[in-house]
Amino acid sequence: MGRLADRIALVTGAAGGLGLAMCKLFAAEGAHVILTDRDEDGIQSGAQAIRAEGGRASHTSLDVTDRDAIARVFADIEREHGKLHVLVNNAGNLLRADFRHMEDADWERVLNPHLWGTVRVTRAAFPLLKAADGAAIVNLSSIMATQHARQLSAYSTAKAAIAGLSRSLAVEFAPYNIRVNYLCPGFIPTTLTDRYTNNPHLSKALLAQMPMRRFGTPEEVAKAALFLASDDSAYTTGEGIMVDGGMSLNLA
């Protein structure tokens, strides 16, 4: 029996990177995982790969900025499963631009999937999480919630807001036996960060700031998510875990 045996887990932004790594690990630990993303081909192939390994997985297209789509997804989950044990809010994007050049539309492009997506998905999921009588929410914040760099003001703002939201919801949801925690990954090579990790000059500078002198992997972030999603963290709520190789300790 795995640490998520017989539990239903939904992950947003699951077509690749951190989201897909979490889905694969959750399924290996016994969960029925629901992969959601705008990339239908990505979540379909991800679900097929999980099933090929003997895991349980389904997929459904979801744009976390679309209220109607969110409502449909959770109505389907209610009809099929009646409850949800684990919710991972992972969907997001990255915009690099100087603050002085950013228009409202640029801010909305970042805040909508990160912050508002987390708010809307969590709000829609709440009745199903409550019905599970013991559920966990894992939100994806970032090292950039507390450590800052040029041209990432919108991203840092969104991730800091997610951290604050997670702590607030931990208090508000505790009476319903729903725990809320968050992860703060550092620079993990994915399509979101490849402009940094694949650039020899940028990657050298980043690695110099990391006490462990290496980038992390999506699987290492997934293991931290598993801890927060499972009963291993049954007495933990409102907490953030840095998964950054010590980088947050070393930034000026």
Side-chain angles (χ1 to χ4, degrees):
M1 297 293 286
R3 282 176 280 182
L4 296 179
D6 299 321
R7 300 185 191 183
I8 311 300
L10 182 143
V11 180
T12 68
L18 304 184
L20 181 56
M22 292 177 202
C23 289
K24 289 180 175 179
L25 182 58
F26 289 4
E29 290 289 338
H32 177 122
V33 292
I34 304 170
L35 291 76
T36 71
D37 201 292
R38 294 185 302 177
D39 180 355
E40 294 189 44
D41 291 339
I43 53 176
Q44 181 177 7
S45 63
Q48 289 173 342
I50 289 170
R51 291 193 292 268
E53 293 295 322
R56 294 179 297 157
S58 56
H59 67 280
T60 183
S61 177
L62 177 63
D63 180 347
V64 298
T65 68
D66 185 335
R67 293 182 182 88
D68 292 337
I70 292 170
R72 287 194 297 271
V73 165
F74 285 99
D76 289 344
I77 295 172
E78 183 175 20
R79 282 191 295 270
E80 185 170 354
H81 302 288
K83 63 184 68 174
L84 183 67
H85 300 89
V86 177
L87 169 65
V88 179
N89 286 301
N90 172 67
N93 58 16
L94 183 65
L95 172 66
R96 183 177 179 183
D98 286 339
F99 175 84
R100 65 186 183 277
H101 297 146
M102 293 175 64
E103 303 292 340
D104 286 357
D106 298 315
W107 280 88
E108 290 169 1
R109 175 182 161 192
V110 177
L111 293 177
N112 269 340
H114 285 286
L115 177 58
W116 284 110
T118 298
V119 168
R120 290 168 180 148
V121 170
T122 301
R123 184 168 55 203
F126 175 76
L128 296 175
L129 294 164
K130 180 182 175 183
D133 191 27
I137 298 172
V138 182
N139 293 326
L140 268 291
S141 182
S142 168
I143 184 178
M144 289 301 168
T146 55
Q147 311 296 326
H148 306 290
R150 291 182 61 251
Q151 299 185 325
L152 291 176
S153 57
Y155 184 79
S156 290
T157 298
K159 291 305 191 181
I162 287 171
L165 174 66
S166 300
R167 293 190 294 269
S168 295
L169 292 183
V171 175
E172 193 165 332
F173 286 3
Y176 304 100
N177 202 15
I178 301 170
R179 298 181 298 106
V180 187
N181 294 288
Y182 59 101
L183 293 175
C184 296
F187 283 86
I188 312 296
T190 66
T191 55
L192 192 69
T193 61
D194 59 7
R195 74 187 71 183
Y196 301 99
T197 58
N198 287 345
N199 183 306
H201 299 292
L202 287 177
S203 63
K204 182 179 179 179
L206 289 170
L207 289 169
Q209 298 177 72
M210 297 179 191
M212 293 184 71
R213 294 295 189 267
R214 69 174 179 85
F215 294 118
T217 67
E219 290 73 24
E220 287 171 321
V221 178
K223 289 177 182 178
L226 174 63
F227 168 70
L228 294 178
S230 73
D231 290 341
D232 288 351
S233 61
Y235 199 54
T236 302
T237 195
E239 292 298 322
I241 297 179
M242 291 284 187
V243 190
D244 66 351
M247 188 176 185
S248 56
L249 305 174
N250 214 31
L251 277 175

